[in-house]
Amino acid sequence: MSLLQAHNLGVTYPGQASPALQHVSLQLGEGDLVVALGPSGCGKSTLLGVLAGFIAPSEGSVSFDGQPVVAPGVERAVVFQHDALLPWLNVADNVAFGLKLQGVDKARRQQVVADTLQLVGLADVGRKYTWQLSGGMRQRVGIARAIASQSKILLMDEPFGALDAFTREQMQQLLLSVWQHAGRGIFLITHDIEEALFLATELVLMSPGPGRIVQRLRPGFSQRYRDGEDVRAIKSDPAFIALREQLLRSLFAQRQAEAA
Amino acid sequence: MSANEHILTRVPDTLPASQRARRPLSPTQWSLISIGSITLLWWAITASSLVPALFLPPPGDVLAKFGTLVSSGYMDATLQQHLWASLQRIVLALLAAVAVGIPLGIAIGTYPRVRHLLDPLIEFYRPLPPLAYLPLIVIWFGIGELSKVLLIFLAILAPVLIATAHGVGSVSLVRQQAALSLGASRGQLLRYVILPGALPDILTGIRIGLGAGWSTLVAAELIAATRGLGFMIQSAAQFLVTDVVVLGIIVIALVAFALELGLRRLQRRLTPWHGQTH
Ligand SMILES: Nc1ncnc2c1ncn2[C@@H]1O[C@H](COP(=O)(O)OP(=O)(O)O)[C@@H](O)[C@H]1O
Ligand SMILES: [Mg+2]
C-alpha cells in the first residue's frame, strides 16, 4: 500500500496567469523510488513543495498514511541541492538535528548518528564542520540527516544537481545502497535523464506550461543494481540507451511543440 | 584579514629571484607605517614652528599632558575617571540597544506587518543628527544620566535593529524548510536556525552601532555632565587647552578601536563559517 498519495494536484502562484502545476497524481510506497524528470520550470520543485507541506495546493490533495498533509512533518524529510545544512554545527550534530528537535535522548542520538554516518561512508568526519567538506560529502550529510530523523520517506530536490559527473555517479550508487538499507520510500527530482533512468522504480516525465506529467514508465534498472549488476554494464545496456534516447526525443518534441 | 587578500593569483616561482627574497609586510606592519607617518608629519609641522602650539600642540606636549591628566586630572577628575564615566554610558546604552534591538529586529524581520509599522519610525529618526533632537530629550527626560544614555542608545539602536531584521530576513529559505521537515516547531526554528543564521549580521550591526554610539558621546555629554571624555574635550575647547582636546580625541579613538578589535575577534570565534562559500 502506498504511504504518500497525491491526487489531482494543481498549483497557481498568486499573480500568475497559468498554473505551475496541473492534474498531477502520484503514489509513493515504502520501497518505491519515484523520480520526477523534466526541464527547469516544469514545476518539479513546486510538486515537491506540495508533497512536503510547504506549499498549499490550489487544487487536489495530498495524504500520508491516510491523513491529509497540511504542513511539513517529520515523516517526510526533505533533502535540497545545497544550503540546507547548519554551518554552525559539526557533521554529527547536523545529522542528530532532527532527533534533537524531536526530543530523543542523547545516548540514542549518538547511536543513530554513528550508524547513519557509517551507512553514508562518513564515519570519520563527525567532528568536522560542513563548510570544511567537499560538495559530495555535504550531500551525504544531508542524506544522513534525513535518514537519521524519524522519517518514513525522503523528498529530494535535485540532490546531486551541483556535483561533478564523477561524484554524481558515486552518489547515485550511494543513494541506492542507502535506499536498500534504510528501507524508505524516496521521491527524487532531477533534470538528468541518465540519473532518472538509473534510479527510478517509477519515472514520471514532466513538461512545463502548465507543469504536468506527460509520461510514466517503470525502468527497473535500480533493481538490477540491487541484484548486484555493475553500474557501467547497466548504463551501457542497449535497453538503457534505447530508453534514454526515447526520453530525450520526447523532451525535444515537447520543446518544438511549445515553440510552434 | 590577510594582506594577501587583494592578490588574485600569485605564482611565486615566476617572480624574479631579486623579488622572491623579500618578505611581504604583515597587516600590523602596514598599520604601523601609517600611524608612524602621521605622527612624524605631526611632529615635523610643530617642530618647524609653522603652526602655533595653540592650534596644534607638539606630540611631546600631548604625551606630557597624558601624565598630568592621569595623576592630577582635569576639571576635577582624572583621565581614568573621565574614561570610566564615558565607558559606563556607552556600555549601558549598548546593553539596552541589544536588549531592545535584537527582539524587535527579529519581529521586523519575521512579520511584514511589524516591518511596515515600524519602518517609517526608524527611517524618520535614523538620519537625524543627535544634536537636533538633544533639546527634546532634555525637555522630556531632564539633565540626568538617563538623557545621556538615551541619546547614545538611540544611536546604537538603529544599526542593531536594521542588521538584525536583515539577518533574520535573509536566512536561507531551504534551510528553514529542511528544518521544518525534520520536525522543528516555530520556536525551535527561531532558536536553532534563524538566530544562529542571523548572528553574523547581528554582530556586524553591534559593531556599526558601537561606532555610532561613540560618535554621539560628545553630544550626550553636552547635557550638564561633570565627567566623561566628551565633557573633558568640550571644557578644554572652551578654554583653548588644545593639548587636552587632542589627547581626548586620541583616547576616544584608541578605546573605540580596542572595542572594535574585541568585537571582530568575538565575531570570528562565534561565526567561523561566515564568509565560507557554504
Ligand atoms: N514562489 C513563486 N511565485 C511565482 N511563481 C513561481 C514561484 N515558484 C516557482 N514559480 C514558477 O512556477 C514554475 C515552476 O517552478 P518550479 O517548480 O521551481 O520548477 P522546477 O523546479 O521544475 O524548475 C516556474 O515557471 C516558476 O517561475
Ligand atoms: Mg527546481
Side-chain angles (χ1 to χ4, degrees):
Chain A
M1 200 210 77
S2 44
L3 282 172
L4 186 74
Q5 302 208 332
H7 180 65
N8 198 28
L9 293 178
V11 172
T12 306
Y13 285 108
Q16 225 74 0
S18 75
L21 209 63
Q22 204 173 45
H23 305 313
V24 169
S25 298
L26 54 84
Q27 306 196 336
L28 182 75
E30 233 159 79
D32 292 347
L33 209 170
V34 176
V35 176
L37 171 70
S40 285
C42 71
K44 302 185 297 295
S45 295
T46 303
L47 173 56
L48 184 133
V50 174
L51 299 180
F54 304 143
I55 300 173
S58 333
E59 275 173 59
S61 61
V62 180
S63 66
F64 187 90
D65 232 350
Q67 300 298 312
V69 165
V70 289
V74 287
E75 69 285 350
R76 290 161 283 128
V78 179
V79 178
F80 288 104
Q81 187 176 100
H82 48 58
D83 245 16
L85 296 172
L86 304 177
W88 46 89
L89 299 182
N90 66 26
V91 168
D93 289 342
N94 262 290
V95 174
F97 187 57
L99 295 176
K100 187 176 175 193
L101 293 174
Q102 294 153 35
V104 173
D105 69 78
K106 195 165 176 181
R108 171 94 189 106
R109 284 203 309 255
Q110 281 173 341
Q111 187 55 50
V112 174
V113 168
D115 292 348
T116 318
L117 283 179
Q118 184 79 42
L119 182 63
V120 298
L122 289 180
D124 300 330
V125 302
R127 308 202 71 84
K128 286 207 174 176
Y129 285 85
T130 54
W131 41 271
Q132 296 170 321
L133 305 179
S134 68
M137 284 164 106
R138 272 200 298 274
Q139 283 314 85
R140 288 175 198 231
V141 179
I143 294 172
R145 181 173 80 163
I147 293 172
S149 90
Q150 293 168 346
S151 58
K152 299 236 172 58
I153 61 171
L154 265 46
L155 305 173
M156 310 178 84
D157 192 343
E158 302 204 22
F160 313 138
L163 304 178
D164 61 85
F166 184 69
T167 311
R168 196 178 180 118
E169 180 137 343
Q170 288 182 318
M171 292 298 292
Q172 292 167 2
Q173 295 169 51
L174 177 96
L175 186 72
L176 289 184
S177 77
V178 163
W179 174 55
Q180 186 165 15
H181 283 96
R184 317 271 160 110
I186 296 179
F187 174 76
L188 183 143
I189 285 174
T190 183
H191 56 238
D192 183 316
I193 298 179
E194 251 196 35
E195 181 165 285
L197 271 180
F198 179 58
L199 295 177
T201 55
E202 180 181 1
L203 192 160
V204 297
L205 183 66
M206 293 180 68
S207 173
R212 64 201 187 278
I213 294 175
V214 290
Q215 196 181 340
R216 295 175 190 260
L217 48 141
R218 298 190 159 270
F221 297 107
S222 46
Q223 189 54 51
R224 280 165 60 178
Y225 179 79
R226 281 172 73 155
D227 293 342
E229 199 171 332
D230 175 63
V231 208
R232 294 311 335 155
I234 295 174
K235 288 192 175 178
S236 56
D237 185 318
F240 189 92
I241 294 170
L243 268 178
R244 192 184 70 198
E245 292 308 310
Q246 187 223 309
L247 283 171
L248 251 177
R249 224 171 287 137
S250 84
L251 278 168
F252 278 121
Q254 272 175 38
R255 275 288 151 90
Q256 276 170 352
E258 271 165 51
Chain B
M1 292 217 184
S2 98
N4 299 340
E5 221 158 75
H6 304 288
I7 300 170
L8 295 179
T9 42
R10 180 207 288 273
V11 187
D13 288 344
T14 62
L15 288 176
S18 58
Q19 284 185 28
R20 221 181 296 160
R22 215 187 294 150
R23 289 213 7 245
L25 294 176
S26 75
T28 319
Q29 282 170 322
W30 282 111
S31 306
L32 287 178
I33 287 178
S34 72
I35 294 169
S37 320
I38 294 278
T39 316
L40 201 67
L41 186 69
W42 174 15
W43 175 82
I45 290 172
T46 51
S48 67
S49 320
L50 275 175
V51 180
L54 179 65
F55 293 132
L56 185 64
D61 286 14
V62 174
L63 199 63
K65 199 69 180 191
F66 176 75
T68 335
L69 251 62
V70 167
S71 53
S72 50
Y74 183 78
M75 289 283 164
D76 300 325
T78 62
L79 185 61
Q80 304 89 294
Q81 287 168 325
H82 286 304
L83 174 61
W84 179 235
S86 292
L87 263 182
Q88 270 181 311
R89 287 172 190 137
I90 293 262
V91 169
L92 214 60
L94 178 70
L95 291 180
V98 165
V100 174
I102 292 179
L104 213 55
I106 292 171
I108 293 173
T110 313
Y111 306 106
R113 275 184 207 155
V114 179
R115 187 176 69 238
H116 302 323
L117 210 62
L118 294 183
D119 208 35
L121 295 182
I122 297 167
E123 290 310 320
F124 175 78
Y125 99 80
R126 193 167 68 97
L128 292 178
L131 278 176
Y133 53 82
L134 176 66
L136 273 185
I137 289 189
V138 172
I139 293 169
W140 291 342
F141 300 99
I143 55 169
E145 273 310 293
L146 175 63
S147 291
K148 300 181 188 66
V149 174
L150 193 62
L151 200 72
I152 304 172
F153 162 81
L154 285 172
I156 304 179
L157 180 66
V160 172
L161 208 59
I162 292 168
T164 305
H166 175 262
V168 166
S170 52
V171 170
S172 131
L173 182 64
V174 296
R175 190 173 282 165
Q176 298 186 47
Q177 291 182 327
L180 289 173
S181 83
L182 293 169
S185 64
R186 283 272 145 202
Q188 286 176 322
L189 190 69
L190 182 67
R191 178 167 165 209
Y192 295 119
V193 181
I194 296 177
L195 267 186
L199 190 59
D201 281 317
I202 295 176
L203 289 173
T204 302
I206 290 177
R207 276 170 52 194
I208 296 172
L210 203 56
W214 281 108
S215 64
T216 43
L217 183 69
V218 175
E221 292 180 350
L222 275 173
I223 312 171
T226 54
R227 266 182 200 179
L229 292 172
F231 160 76
M232 185 185 89
I233 291 174
Q234 286 163 53
S235 339
Q238 275 165 12
F239 300 107
L240 293 178
V241 193
T242 322
D243 46 6
V244 172
V245 174
V246 173
L247 185 66
I249 290 172
I250 294 177
V251 170
I252 289 181
L254 286 180
V255 175
F257 188 50
L259 283 180
E260 163 73 11
L261 285 184
L263 278 174
R264 279 190 209 169
R265 269 184 85 145
L266 188 72
Q267 196 166 19
R268 272 200 303 274
R269 280 199 58 151
L270 289 181
T271 61
W273 70 88
H274 188 52
Q276 307 286 340
T277 41
H278 279 274

